[in-house]
Amino acid sequence: MIITVTLNAALDVTYRVPSLRPHTTHRVLDIAERPGGKGLNVARVLADLGHRAVVTGFAGGTAGDELRRRLAAVTRADLLTDALVPTAGATRRTVGVVDAATGDTTMFNEPGPTVSPAEWSSFVDVYRGLLASGEAGAVALCGSLPPGVPVGAYADLVREARSAGVFVLLDTSGEPLRRGLAARPDLIKPNADELAGLTGFSEPARAARDARRRGARAVAASLGAEGMLAVAEEGVWQALPPGRLSGNPTGAGDSAVAGLLSGVVEGLPWPRRLARAVALSAATVVAPAAGEYDRGVYEELLPQVKVSAAG
């Protein structure tokens, strides 16, 4: 199984409007609601790929109840286990407004509930229990930290996974990423801006090498239309999609994480992991609902992704 941690889960709401204009009233064409937050997105894609996933983190309030209800109803829910920890505070919502005329999306992200020390302790107990089960092949630590969670939380969770001998991927940004690196995660998955903010270098390959020097054993950087760059002990590769795709990028990075992790537990070499990650990411951009991916597009694009050794 693969454990996905989403400390700041969300109920994602997507509105589609004919045209988004400030200072006016909009008629909504359609509404979609789905369980969200980076780790939940990762788990849903993993399940669709046939991998068993356990989701943990926090959920509370009416939005949290709706998130869990919808999680139980997703495609391949038989491969998903809900190990979310209850909180007194309400799960946040993220609202995406899609402009049907341009395809652009405007996002509104709530901050999330304040997690108490007792709730954090309960989560750590659940996390340790999952690691100790002997069934975990990998862990994904994903997204922002809700209020009340220590800024060094991911560093502690990385150490717990490494102590249990479980491969750990860290996908966050800012100070939580900076501190998490010191615990030596097996893989980090920043985008270009996050990587530049971490290292101070705008050139992705140089920045990725610097991130490895800071503690990451490997770096897979999302570069938008330029695909994905991987810098690891085994080598350096870049994977390019066959062309530019327009649509909603929400969740594209999470699909890439699912592609990378599924490749890890299947024992795939880096080029095949990257090809899968880039194809899944692209298929998520063109999907009609935020955070979903188009299976047909994925299967069509996968053989067209070009992966080459770099540097």
Side-chain angles (χ1 to χ4, degrees), residues 129-183:
L130 292 171
L131 291 174
S133 69
E135 299 180 41
V139 175
L141 306 174
C142 303
S144 61
L145 301 178
V149 172
V151 71
Y154 280 137
D156 294 336
L157 299 182
V158 168
R159 293 187 187 99
E160 294 276 358
R162 287 182 50 77
S163 295
V166 178
F167 183 99
V168 57
L169 180 151
L170 178 60
D171 182 14
T172 188
S173 60
E175 190 62 21
L177 173 58
R178 194 180 309 278
R179 297 200 185 195
L181 277 182

Side-chain angles (χ1 to χ4, degrees), residues 5 13 31 75 96 104 106 119 133 148 244 268 271 290:
V5 174
V13 182
I31 304 170
T75 304
D104 292 338
T106 301
E119 290 167 344
S133 69
R244 289 182 177 269
L268 300 183

